[in-house]
Amino acid sequence: MAELMDDVAIAARLKDLPDWTQDAERIRRSVEAPSFLDGIALVVDVARAAEEADHHPDIDIRWRTVTFALSTHSAGGLTTKDFDLAARIDVLAAARAGT
């Protein structure tokens, strides 16, 4: 099981992920896609990355706005797995923004 991160480590990782915010025991980011279908395509991209990482975000879709929330439920909070997947989501969102 992944180890929980302390507040100092969380703050340090969030500095590298400026689009993400901490909300209690999770981190969140919303992405506004150019269209509904682009938002769904981003969700599919993230789902594939999540499967590869064996770590799955909570995903909320509201028309063109897709919100991702990450927490390691088995550890009861934030671990490096959350920040690693957040960084991957950032790359995927940037790639989709250019389509």
Side-chain angles (χ1 to χ4, degrees):
M1 176 183 348
E3 288 189 31
L4 285 175
M5 296 173 68
D6 63 26
D7 291 340
V8 173
I10 290 168
R13 290 295 300 265
L14 280 173
K15 285 182 182 179
D16 295 330
L17 299 166
D19 294 319
W20 292 81
T21 57
Q22 185 178 2
D23 175 17
E25 297 177 348
R26 68 184 45 94
I27 55 173
R28 292 183 184 276
R29 179 189 177 182
S30 292
V31 177
E32 187 166 335
S35 70
F36 178 73
L37 289 178
D38 288 322
I40 296 302
L42 174 60
V43 168
V44 171
D45 293 344
V46 170
R48 287 189 176 110
E51 281 293 297
E52 289 174 13
D54 193 29
H55 190 59
H56 304 90
D58 293 332
I59 303 172
D60 181 64
I61 304 165
R62 307 287 171 142
W63 188 38
R64 297 183 318 148
T65 302
V66 181
T67 301
F68 301 97
L70 292 164
S71 180
T72 305
H73 303 289
S74 61
L78 292 166
T79 69
T80 57
K81 291 178 85 169
D82 301 304
F83 290 91
D84 293 346
L85 186 54
R88 182 75 178 122
I89 290 170
D90 282 352
V91 169
L92 294 169
R96 280 283 162 195
T99 60

